[in-house]
């Protein structure tokens, strides 16, 4: 990303044409507002990057179809320079032409045209280089169809543009059969890149003549003039020169330049050259040889060689004084980042515009119509001046931002990444500054608004991302603290281990050929997260459809289930400008968390998932589980949309981002813990509700405090023995990890149970019926040995377990008859024989063992029995009596015999 | 057009209360959720979210001396969710099968649903057929007469509705309420048991697309 340098942030505003009120499309639903259409087209403009263009930074939608554009901006422009005699110098004139053409040629190469060229839109940066501005207007307004003013200044419009008149939408069709796609017919075909060449010709003439053309003519007369060119047999250039008595002066120009200008002004667009043709003219040879090849710098996930066009910053040998002068480090950040920080530092776009008088509010009473038809059409309202175009650009002051960052150490702009060793023990330490650790502990909503904190985080992450995948490990570690919104898209991709030629992969997929799922996709998209402006735009719908189709086509083993759309939405939103990356993330996410859930017949997988979820509820909250079971409020009724969309159907995007920031660090069982955390947050209500109220509560997802939910899920996860969430349909282990060194330091927190080697002591598939029938989870002998430290911690097989801190404490209940117990038992286990444990009411009969159990009530209770069902029944009794954290040793005590752990108990119990 | 819907609230304290379980079935995007939302909250969301699994809502209507409480199960329309449907319609006393009058395929699918209900649901279930999106009459693909004839043949209640304009929305629920038996044991006890019957027997096993 090129740095902002000494560019300003400029803001301007315009209004989209509003639809007649109450007008509906063919499907009976309101038409998409034009401002939303524009908003959907805008993001791609941000990807245009060339030294001769002003960058687009942001587009914000306000009330009443108002749009606010933020761009790179410079104060000087060609309109001012024209009035000097500067361009009578031929080399200045050639340079001007060359720089404008370079910008245009780049635009054309990316499939855009300017169509808005005028001296006001040709800016000069502080070094005097051309920066084209406003080149996005024509594109983002659909050739001008979405606004009520013409795009471009009349005087610079080519005859063919003027002859066509105003662009308008002639018909809109929103066909049901093809979903809600809106197809629009414009009154004529869009302009070509050659109209820009004409405008260039006019400007070059003005520059060379040193005065504006036709200064005394009215607009009508100018239109008349230009249209008259078409009828005349004489070349336009000759007519114009004679109008301005410039023939003699023109004749003095070198031939090459004469012909450059006159070919620009070729009447017929067919014969008029394109910018790229003109660039090859020999006039520019000298300039071309001096040109420095431009590359767009580093970009993630690209297959280009990273160091091919290594940009080595200019080394300026300065005097002592120069060094003493404070360096402006902020100006070396990208314009997008500076703008992001500017907003965090309290920047207010509307405020800036209002102050400049560009946004005026009219009292509503002045907007009342004089006459209204009963279909809602009204008349007699004066034209609202605010719908007209005002090209004024207001400069956004960066003072406040610079003030806020004033005391940031210069070194903080270049954080060191290799300091991990001393900080390895504590997660939330960022190498940049110490006091960040304090901020990092604040609630997310505060952190995300703290400009200084975000500044440090963004810089650190950008550095890490440049070293991805090498620095993946470090990214994981930082992500456990938080993920700044500015880099979320890339961080998520890194956490999902996206790598390789993502663009090539995506391009190779056929996203166009109709398939049987198209209808479902097309009716789902216009219902998916549509409060989000980007996703509700026609551009958004198109992208959405392509990404979903790409996934369906590339996964023949899976099918499209309603809900996949919700799952895709966050990735599309974050990577709106990079469909390939959106697809790559989406594709990587599904096997990680939703393995097999999109099989055509997924019922076994879902059933198992929900059964394990029930166990988990019982494990962590016995009273709640008992209540929900009594009223018949089972997960099948409410949790399918949660898990099938990883909560993307349950929460709005802004909440989902925070949820997934953590989800992505967890393993495939983590979502189950999120589910429990949601119930936990609503616990009091659920406990007091009957069936109807419970299910009503979830048909509209109630307000959930996501940050609390995330914290709770982590806690729940850490208190759950891994094997308790074992699912046979979870993703099988990838035994041969590519290379463990580049793998993140996965702790207990993120490693999947299924990724450990299988032994006799591990979990094995349990028949679905059994799983559904039992209420408490199993735990594997492996987990028992590990959690009970039965072999000493060094001997345990799990490579991931290092610190004991996050480990749940356990108490082992041996429920076999005492004589069996005395013959050999797990060390430390207490014996409560099942047959004599309970009285006729189902309560515990008092005994020293029961007392001991009650002392350790909060610990995980592992019920150890023989192979029969009594251990399960015992655990269920614990559950019924309101004991949390009861689980059953899978396969009973026999499984431990070969390990040699079993001992004869010492008689003190 | 907003907020005019909703149904009457119960008023008389002496009135008898009946509860009925009602299920909505029909192809995806025909407007099942929109009909329920209109009936229950008097609202219409143009960007109504698609339904995954099923959603549950309740609404009460008054009929002379009886208060009828509907427990409404709004199901997912996509064919794949078919395997879940029996869980919702089993034990239901009423069903609204919805199609979209601008789309002939959805009418075909509605007929399939009716057949399935006749075969598998409780024998005296009251079935209503709703031709939704009646506001789009100019895009009509299913003729009123055609649907009406079909409804008569199968003794279904039939109305063309519009969740958008609220046309016939309360009416179709009221018509169902009228037709439901309101003797003591019909409404009250039977639906007191529980919302959904999850017994495994005669639930189609395995495949989701049959
Ligand atoms: N014009 C018009 N549009 C409607 C009407 N009812 C629903 N819609 C629209 O049709 C679309 C689908 O409606 P839903 O209520 O989501 O359909 P559904 O049957 O619940 O769909 P699934 O949940 O996928 O099974 C939405 O965009 C609604 O706004 C209606 O009466 N008239
Ligand atoms: Mg629905």
């Amino acid at each position: 990303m090129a740095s902002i340098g000494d560019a300003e942030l400029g803001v301007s505003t315009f209004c989209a044409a509003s639809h007649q009120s109450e007008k509906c499309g063919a499907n009976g639903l309101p038409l998409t507002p034009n401002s939303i259409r524009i908003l959907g087209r805008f993001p791609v403009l941000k990807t245009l990057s060339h030294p001769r263009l002003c960058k687009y930074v942001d587009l914000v939608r306000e009330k009443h179809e108002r749009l606010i554009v933020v761009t790179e901006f410079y104060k000087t422009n060609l309109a001012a320079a024209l009035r000097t005699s500067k361009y009578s110098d031929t080399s200045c004139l050639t340079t001007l032409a060359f720089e404008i053409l370079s910008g245009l040629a780049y635009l054309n190469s990316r499939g855009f045209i300017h169509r808005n060229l005028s001296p006001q839109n040709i800016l000069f940066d502080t070094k005097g280089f051309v920066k084209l501005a406003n080149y996005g207007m024509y594109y983002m307004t659909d050739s001008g169809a979405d606004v009520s003013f013409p795009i471009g200044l009349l005087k610079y419009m080519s005859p063919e543009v003027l002859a066509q008149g105003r662009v308008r939408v002639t018909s809109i069709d929103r066909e049901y059969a093809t979903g809600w796609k809106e197809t629009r017919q414009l009154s004529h075909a869009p302009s070509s890149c050659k109209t820009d060449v004409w405008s260039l010709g006019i400007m070059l003439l003005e520059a060379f003549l040193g005065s504006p053309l036709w200064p005394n003519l009215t607009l009508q007369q100018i239109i008349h003039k230009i249209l008259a060119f078409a009828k005349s047999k004489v070349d336009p250039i000759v007519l114009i020169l004679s109008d301005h008595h410039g023939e003699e002066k023109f004749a003095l120009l070198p031939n090459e330049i004469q012909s450059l200008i006159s070919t620009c002004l070729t009447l017929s667009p067919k014969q008029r050259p394109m910018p790229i043709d003109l660039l090859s003219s020999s006039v520019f040879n000298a300039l071309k040889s001096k040109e420095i090849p431009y590359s767009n710098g580093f970009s993630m996930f690209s297959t280009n060689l990273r160091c091919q066009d290594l940009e080595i910053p200019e080394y300026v040998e300065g005097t002592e004084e120069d060094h003493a002068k404070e360096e402006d480090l902020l100006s070396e950040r990208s314009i997008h980042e500076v703008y992001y920080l500017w907003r965090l530092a309290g920047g207010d776009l509307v405020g800036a515009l209002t102050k400049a008088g560009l946004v005026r509010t009219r009292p509503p009473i002045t907007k009342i119509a004089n006459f209204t038809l009963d279909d809602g059409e009204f008349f007699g309202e004066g034209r609202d001046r605010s719908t007209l175009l005002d090209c004024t650009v207001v400069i956004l002051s960066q003072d406040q931002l610079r003030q806020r960052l004033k005391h940031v150490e210069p070194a903080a702009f270049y954080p060191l990444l290799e300091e991990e060793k001393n900080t390895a023990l504590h997660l939330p330490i960022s190498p940049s500054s110490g006091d960040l650790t304090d901020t990092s502990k604040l609630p997310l909503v505060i952190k995300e608004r703290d400009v200084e904190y975000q500044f440090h985080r963004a810089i650190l992450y950008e550095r890490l991302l440049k070293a991805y995948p090498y620095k993946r490990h470090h990214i994981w570690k930082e992500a456990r603290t938080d993920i700044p919104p500015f880099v979320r898209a890339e961080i998520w991709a890194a956490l999902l281990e996206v790598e390789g030629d993502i663009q090539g992969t995506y391009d190779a997929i056929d996203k166009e050929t109709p398939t049987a799922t198209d209808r479902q996709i097309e009716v789902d998209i216009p219902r998916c997260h549509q409060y989000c402006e980007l996703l509700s735009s026609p551009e958004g719908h198109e992208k959405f459809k392509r990404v979903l189709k790409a996934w369906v086509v590339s996964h023949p083993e899976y099918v499209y289930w309603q809900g996949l759309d919700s799952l895709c939405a966050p990735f599309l939103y974050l990577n709106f400008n990079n469909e390939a990356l959106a697809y790559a993330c989406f594709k990587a996410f599904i096997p990680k968390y939703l393995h097999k859930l999109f099989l055509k017949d997924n019922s076994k997988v879902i059933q198992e998932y929900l059964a394990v979820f029930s166990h988990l509820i019982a494990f962590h909250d016995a009273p709640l589980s008992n209540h929900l079971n009594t009223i018949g409020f089972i997960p099948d009724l409410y949790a399918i949309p949660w898990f099938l969309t990883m909560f993307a159907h349950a929460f709005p995007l802004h909440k989902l981002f925070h949820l997934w920031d953590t989800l992505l660090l967890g393993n495939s069982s983590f979502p189950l813990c999120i589910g429990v955390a949601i119930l936990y947050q609503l616990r009091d209500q659920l406990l007091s509700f009957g069936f109807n109220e419970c299910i009503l509560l979830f048909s509209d997802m109630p307000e959930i405090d996501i940050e609390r939910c995330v914290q709770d899920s982590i806690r729940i996860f850490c208190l759950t023995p891994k094997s308790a969430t074992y699912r046979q349909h979870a993703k099988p282990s990838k035994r041969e990890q590519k290379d463990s060194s580049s793998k993140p330091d996965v702790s207990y927190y993120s490693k999947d149970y299924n990724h450990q080697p299988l032994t006799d002591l591990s979990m094995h598939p349990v028949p679905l019926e059994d799983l559904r029938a039992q209420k408490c989870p199993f735990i594997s002998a492996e987990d028992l040995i590990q959690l009970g430290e039965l072999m000493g911690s060094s001997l345990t097989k799990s490579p991931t377990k290092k610190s004991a801190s996050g480990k749940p404490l356990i108490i082992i209940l041996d429920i076999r008859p005492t004589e069996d117990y005395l013959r050999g038992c797990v060390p430390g286990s207490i014996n409560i024989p099942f047959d004599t444990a309970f009285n006729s009411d189902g309560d515990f009969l008092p005994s020293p063992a029961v007392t001991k159990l009650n002392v350790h009530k909060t610990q995980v209770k592992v019920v150890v029995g023989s192979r029969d069902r009594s251990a399960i029944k015992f655990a269920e009794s614990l559950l019924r009596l309101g004991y949390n954290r009861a689980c059953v040793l899978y396969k009973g005590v026999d499984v431990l015999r070969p390990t040699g752990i079993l001992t004869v108990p010492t008689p003190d119990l | 057009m907003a907020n005019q819907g909703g149904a009457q609230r119960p008023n008389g304290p002496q009135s008898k209360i009946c509860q009925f379980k009602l299920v909505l079935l029909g192809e995806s995007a025909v407007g099942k959720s929109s009909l329920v939302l209109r009936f229950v909250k008097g609202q219409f969301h143009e960007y109504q979210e698609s339904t995954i699994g099923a959603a549950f809502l309740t609404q009460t209507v008054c009929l002379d001396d009886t208060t009828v409480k509907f427990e409404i199960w709004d199901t997912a329309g996509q064919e794949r969710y078919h395997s879940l449907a029996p869980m919702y319609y089993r034990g239901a006393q009423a069903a609204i099968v919805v199609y979209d009058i601008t789309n002939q395929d959805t009418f075909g699918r509605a007929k399939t649903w009716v057949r399935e209900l006749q075969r598998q649901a409780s024998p005296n279930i009251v079935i209503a057929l709703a031709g939704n999106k009646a506001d789009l009459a100019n895009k009509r693909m299913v003729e009123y007469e055609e649907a009406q004839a079909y409804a008569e043949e199968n003794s279904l209640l039939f109305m063309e509705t519009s969740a958008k304009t609220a046309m016939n929305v309360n009416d179709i629920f009221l018509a169902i309420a009228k037709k439901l038996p309101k003797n003591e044991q019909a409404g009250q006890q039977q639906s007191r048991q529980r919302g959904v019957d999850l017994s495994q027997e005669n639930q189609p096993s395995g495949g989701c697309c049959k």
Side-chain angles (χ1 to χ4, degrees):
Chain A
M1 252 316 147
S3 59
I4 182 168
D6 37 26
E8 303 279 0
L9 284 166
V11 58
S12 57
T13 180
F14 67 95
C15 286
S18 50
H19 295 301
Q20 288 267 319
S21 52
E22 298 289 311
K23 206 164 183 181
C24 289
N27 64 352
L29 302 179
L31 292 172
T32 313
N34 282 325
S35 55
I36 297 263
R37 306 177 147 274
I38 296 173
L39 200 86
R41 286 190 211 101
F42 178 80
V44 66
L45 292 172
K46 291 204 281 188
T47 68
L48 299 179
S49 177
H50 187 268
R52 299 286 78 81
L53 299 183
C54 287
K55 282 197 187 62
Y56 275 96
V57 182
D58 195 17
L59 184 76
V60 179
R61 182 171 173 258
E62 284 291 324
K63 279 185 298 212
H64 308 305
E65 292 294 89
R66 178 172 295 286
L67 291 160
I68 298 176
V69 196
V70 183
T71 58
E72 177 180 354
F73 183 71
Y74 301 91
K75 286 183 199 116
T76 50
N77 64 38
L78 183 61
L82 276 181
R83 271 170 245 124
T84 66
S85 53
K86 183 177 171 195
Y87 293 105
S88 49
D89 174 55
T90 48
S91 80
C92 281
L93 193 65
T94 340
T95 309
L96 178 71
F98 178 71
E99 292 182 0
I100 296 176
L101 283 168
S102 310
L104 291 176
Y106 170 78
L107 279 177
N108 298 162
S109 75
R110 295 284 312 265
F112 295 86
I113 62 164
H114 195 303
R115 242 316 300 278
N116 196 6
L117 273 178
S118 70
Q120 283 79 8
N121 287 336
I122 296 183
L123 313 185
F124 297 108
D125 67 13
T126 44
K127 295 200 187 78
F129 289 110
V130 160
K131 291 275 187 178
L132 301 183
N134 271 328
Y135 49 86
M137 210 47 183
Y138 184 72
Y139 166 76
M140 69 172 130
T141 58
D142 195 11
S143 315
D146 291 339
V147 287
S148 48
F149 49 82
I151 308 267
L153 279 187
L154 276 172
K155 204 208 296 184
Y156 304 91
M157 281 185 193
S158 61
E160 72 271 13
V161 169
L162 276 182
Q164 282 181 318
R166 176 156 153 45
V167 181
R168 61 185 95 237
V169 179
T170 51
S171 77
I172 300 178
D173 209 15
R174 294 172 63 153
E175 272 301 320
Y176 181 86
T178 56
W180 274 271
K181 202 163 118 192
E182 268 182 29
T183 41
R184 312 205 301 172
Q185 213 82 57
L186 296 190
S187 54
H188 55 71
S191 309
S192 82
C193 63
K194 295 180 174 178
T195 65
D196 289 337
V197 170
W198 173 280
S199 314
L200 173 66
I202 299 284
M203 287 191 298
L204 289 178
L205 258 188
E206 285 190 327
F208 154 72
L209 292 170
S211 69
L213 294 187
W214 307 301
N216 303 320
L217 298 194
T218 63
L219 267 188
Q220 278 93 332
Q221 287 169 317
I222 294 178
I223 296 175
H224 193 78
K225 272 260 176 241
I226 300 174
L227 290 177
F229 293 149
K231 295 189 192 121
S232 163
K233 293 206 173 55
V234 190
D235 278 347
I237 178 94
V238 179
L239 295 171
I240 297 172
L241 285 174
S242 81
D243 275 355
H244 295 83
H245 313 290
E247 297 98 330
E248 278 172 33
K249 205 174 162 195
F250 192 71
L252 294 176
L253 277 175
N255 279 345
E256 281 177 316
I257 300 181
Q258 281 189 25
S259 84
L260 173 73
I261 298 180
S262 54
T263 43
C264 282
L265 295 174
T266 308
L267 181 67
S268 154
K270 274 214 188 83
Q271 269 121 50
R272 201 184 306 146
M274 301 197 293
I276 189 83
D277 304 331
L278 287 172
L279 272 180
S280 60
S281 152
S282 55
V283 213
F284 301 128
N285 280 351
L287 288 164
K288 262 188 286 189
S289 64
K290 274 190 286 178
E291 209 179 22
I292 307 159
Y294 173 70
S295 83
N296 271 341
F298 169 78
S299 68
M300 260 187 104
F301 312 112
S302 100
T303 43
N304 298 335
L305 290 175
R306 287 196 192 185
C307 345
Q308 194 172 31
D309 299 299
L310 202 60
E311 285 168 281
I312 297 170
E314 231 175 294
Y315 177 69
V316 200
E317 204 146 355
T319 58
E320 290 280 302
E321 279 162 53
D322 285 344
H323 283 300
K325 221 171 36 184
E326 228 178 277
E327 260 182 298
D328 182 9
L329 292 168
L330 190 63
S331 73
E332 286 172 25
R333 310 306 306 172
S334 79
I335 193 163
H336 298 286
E337 187 179 334
V338 172
Y339 172 69
Y340 168 69
L341 296 171
W342 178 86
R343 293 202 81 168
L344 288 180
D348 170 16
L349 293 175
V350 181
L353 289 168
T354 316
K355 222 159 93 194
L358 286 174
V359 177
R360 256 172 300 223
T361 43
R362 286 200 307 156
I365 191 145
T366 63
K367 294 185 180 168
I368 290 179
N370 294 349
F371 180 71
T372 310
L373 295 181
D374 59 4
D375 67 356
E377 208 175 329
F378 52 83
F379 303 89
E381 195 200 359
R383 181 156 193 196
D384 188 350
R385 307 274 319 158
S386 69
T387 62
L388 300 177
L389 178 66
D390 187 330
C391 303
T392 313
V393 177
V394 180
I395 292 178
L396 298 174
S397 160
Q398 291 172 26
D399 293 349
Q400 203 169 333
L401 172 61
R402 286 170 188 277
Q403 192 62 32
R404 290 289 301 275
L405 297 180
K406 199 175 59 185
H407 52 271
V408 168
E409 293 283 316
F413 284 84
Y414 305 97
L416 289 176
L417 302 181
E418 301 298 342
E419 281 178 19
E420 280 168 55
K421 274 160 214 100
N422 16 353
T423 61
L425 286 177
H426 311 281
L427 316 161
I429 288 187
S430 161
S432 50
S433 88
D435 65 353
L436 227 56
T437 336
D438 298 334
T439 321
S440 73
K441 296 197 181 95
L442 294 173
L444 251 170
V445 275
I446 298 179
K447 285 196 279 185
E448 289 196 347
R449 293 202 176 97
D450 182 329
V451 57
E452 211 184 315
Y453 183 73
Q454 289 299 317
F455 162 83
H456 286 291
R457 297 296 285 166
I459 283 193
L460 173 66
Y461 269 117
E462 276 170 276
R463 292 213 128 191
L464 290 172
L465 285 170
K466 283 189 180 157
Y468 176 83
Y470 170 61
K471 275 289 170 194
R472 181 184 286 149
H473 177 119
H474 199 147
I475 294 176
W476 270 78
K477 216 173 94 197
E478 290 297 336
R480 293 171 72 163
T481 304
D482 55 38
I483 298 177
F486 185 66
V487 288
R488 179 171 284 129
E490 292 82 11
I491 300 299
W492 278 20
L495 296 180
L496 286 166
E497 306 185 18
V498 171
E499 268 176 68
D501 183 10
I502 56 167
Q503 191 64 49
T505 312
Y506 187 66
D507 290 344
I509 302 171
D510 173 10
K511 301 171 280 285
E512 305 304 325
T513 310
T515 65
T517 13
D518 288 2
R519 180 196 179 260
Q520 193 62 53
I521 291 177
E522 279 165 357
V523 298
D524 283 348
I525 287 171
R527 296 186 286 169
C528 183
H529 291 286
Q530 294 297 295
Y531 55 86
C532 165
E533 294 170 339
L534 268 188
L535 296 185
S536 75
S537 66
E539 197 73 30
H541 286 187
E542 288 301 308
K543 288 174 188 282
F544 218 145
K545 186 173 155 191
R546 281 194 295 267
V547 176
L548 282 175
K549 284 194 69 157
W551 188 86
V552 174
V553 169
S554 335
H555 296 82
E557 69 279 28
Y558 295 131
V559 295
Y560 178 85
W561 282 83
Q562 271 185 308
L564 259 177
D565 50 335
S566 306
L567 205 53
C568 177
F571 297 114
L572 182 61
Y573 177 85
L574 287 178
N575 301 293
F576 202 75
N577 269 329
N578 192 344
E579 260 174 74
L581 186 55
Y583 171 74
C585 292
F586 181 49
K587 183 187 168 75
F589 183 88
I590 290 176
K592 190 165 172 195
Y593 297 102
L594 292 150
H595 185 62
K596 286 200 197 169
L597 272 146
F598 297 107
L599 282 175
K600 192 166 177 188
D601 178 1
N602 63 5
S603 54
K604 293 229 167 54
V605 189
I606 289 212
Q607 295 295 338
E608 186 194 34
Y609 206 103
L610 296 175
V612 172
F613 181 52
S614 293
H615 296 169
L616 207 57
I617 303 171
F619 186 79
H620 287 286
D621 196 337
L624 183 63
S625 161
N626 290 336
H627 174 68
L628 298 182
N629 281 332
T630 315
I631 61 173
F633 185 66
I634 54 162
D636 307 51
L637 298 175
Y638 61 91
I640 293 176
W642 292 3
F643 296 124
L644 206 58
T645 68
M646 284 298 129
F647 308 94
H649 196 264
F651 294 117
L653 287 174
H654 70 275
K655 288 193 167 184
L656 195 65
F657 288 148
H658 290 159
L659 191 64
W660 282 17
D661 278 353
T662 304
L663 174 70
L664 289 174
L665 299 169
N667 66 21
S668 72
S669 299
F670 192 71
L672 293 161
C673 300
I674 298 177
V676 176
I678 292 176
L679 295 180
Y680 182 74
Q681 209 168 110
L682 301 166
R683 184 171 196 272
D684 293 344
Q685 276 169 296
L686 291 171
L687 278 175
S688 67
F689 282 172
F691 177 85
N692 275 6
E693 291 134 307
C694 279
I695 200 140
L696 269 179
L697 185 68
F698 283 126
S699 44
D700 251 338
M701 192 64 166
E703 245 347 270
I704 295 282
D705 176 344
I706 287 292
E707 214 175 344
R708 220 181 101 201
C709 173
V710 167
Q711 294 312 324
D712 288 344
S713 350
I714 295 175
R715 194 177 45 79
I716 290 165
F717 187 89
C718 292
L719 285 173
T720 312
K722 254 185 230 180
S723 52
T725 55
Y726 166 83
R727 294 179 296 119
Q728 60 169 305
H729 294 297
K731 202 176 171 202
S733 79
K734 15 176 191 171
R735 272 163 209 241
E736 279 83 36
Q737 286 295 348
K738 293 163 273 175
D739 60 324
S740 48
S741 56
S742 81
K743 285 291 289 180
D745 164 35
V746 278
S747 62
Y748 196 74
Y749 184 52
S750 50
K751 189 104 171 190
D752 252 307
Y753 181 76
N754 285 31
H755 287 182
Q756 296 175 14
L758 275 181
T759 68
D760 288 345
L761 301 179
S762 318
M763 285 298 300
H764 293 279
V766 180
L768 186 56
E769 307 77 65
D770 295 353
L771 213 55
R772 283 173 62 95
Q774 82 189 51
K775 293 191 177 122
C776 296
F778 280 127
I779 147 172
S780 68
E782 253 167 8
D783 263 4
L784 175 70
I785 292 169
Q786 200 194 351
L787 295 173
E789 292 184 353
L790 299 176
M791 286 183 164
S793 28
S794 57
L795 283 176
T796 58
K797 264 194 311 303
S798 166
T800 55
K801 199 73 205 324
K802 270 160 209 141
S803 77
S805 58
K807 195 166 72 172
L809 293 170
I810 64 168
I811 173 165
I812 303 164
L813 308 177
D814 194 323
I815 59 135
R816 291 174 299 155
T818 309
E819 61 269 27
D820 291 349
Y821 172 77
L822 290 175
R823 251 179 257 136
C825 67
V826 181
S829 62
I830 55 177
N831 184 220
I832 311 181
F834 182 52
D835 294 336
T836 55
F838 303 100
N839 64 21
S840 53
D841 295 337
D843 288 330
F844 272 122
L845 290 165
S847 75
V850 170
T851 314
K852 185 158 185 196
L853 162 66
N854 286 336
V855 169
H856 301 287
K857 212 171 168 172
T858 55
Q859 301 190 356
V860 171
K861 295 155 217 46
V862 185
V863 181
V864 178
S866 316
R867 274 186 181 257
D868 61 4
R869 285 188 52 86
S870 53
I872 295 175
K873 285 198 201 122
F874 189 94
E876 286 174 359
S877 300
L878 284 173
L879 171 67
R880 178 173 45 77
L881 293 171
Y883 287 87
N884 287 341
R885 314 215 175 100
C887 54
V888 178
L889 175 63
Y890 179 58
K891 288 193 203 157
V893 75
D894 291 346
V895 79
L896 292 170
R897 295 203 191 279
T899 62
I901 289 174
L902 300 186
T903 54
V904 175
T906 41
D908 70 76
L909 246 182
Chain B
M1 61 177 200
N3 276 29
Q4 48 175 234
Q8 303 139 279
R9 303 264 151 205
N11 39 10
Q14 79 283 34
S15 66
K16 115 178 133 194
I17 301 174
C18 291
Q19 287 208 33
F20 293 107
K21 178 176 164 189
L22 180 149
V23 62
L24 277 103
L25 300 166
E27 176 63 274
S28 178
V30 296
K32 297 180 294 299
S33 304
S34 302
L35 283 173
V36 178
L37 189 73
R38 172 60 83 186
F39 176 57
V40 172
K41 299 193 182 157
Q43 297 170 351
F44 176 72
H45 295 167
E46 57 203 70
Y47 301 128
Q48 177 63 42
E49 280 168 27
S50 64
T51 310
I52 292 171
F56 180 83
L57 283 160
T58 60
Q59 175 65 302
T60 310
V61 294
C62 286
L63 263 186
D64 313 322
D65 63 333
T66 341
T67 304
V68 174
K69 183 170 181 195
F70 282 116
E71 293 175 352
I72 306 167
W73 286 93
D74 168 25
T75 63
Q78 193 189 9
E79 174 72 37
R80 297 196 197 294
Y81 285 95
H82 196 148
S83 67
L84 290 176
M87 169 158 104
Y88 302 110
Y89 67 64
R90 203 175 302 120
Q93 289 98 335
I96 304 184
V97 177
V98 187
Y99 68 92
D100 172 353
I101 65 154
T102 69
N103 183 318
Q104 183 73 44
D105 293 347
T106 66
F107 184 53
R109 182 104 165 88
K111 290 181 180 168
T112 319
W113 275 120
V114 171
R115 267 197 302 280
E116 177 164 342
L117 286 173
Q118 286 166 341
R119 265 202 329 268
Q120 317 239 6
S122 359
N124 40 15
I125 187 169
V126 175
I127 306 176
L129 181 68
N132 192 39
K133 307 202 185 178
D135 56 297
L136 301 179
N138 58 341
K139 295 226 130 193
R140 174 189 291 283
M141 299 299 284
V142 183
E143 288 310 321
Y144 183 88
E145 291 72 22
E146 183 189 354
Q148 196 180 31
Y150 171 77
E152 254 162 44
E153 263 167 53
N154 290 276
S155 14
L156 316 173
L157 287 168
F158 171 62
M159 283 186 202
E160 284 198 347
T161 58
S162 167
K164 187 185 166 189
T165 66
M167 178 184 116
N168 279 345
V169 176
N170 289 344
D171 309 53
I172 197 162
F173 282 91
L174 274 174
I176 293 171
K178 284 204 188 101
K179 207 171 157 187
L180 283 164
K182 276 165 293 292
N183 49 348
E184 291 305 311
Q185 83 276 43
Q188 244 143 331
Q189 277 92 315
Q190 176 168 344
S191 62
R192 260 300 79 210
Q193 302 163 347
R194 188 181 296 169
V196 168
D197 174 10
L198 288 152
S199 53
Q200 285 283 300
E201 319 86 62
N202 72 28
Q203 196 170 332
S205 59
C208 305
C209 301
K210 292 248 167 63

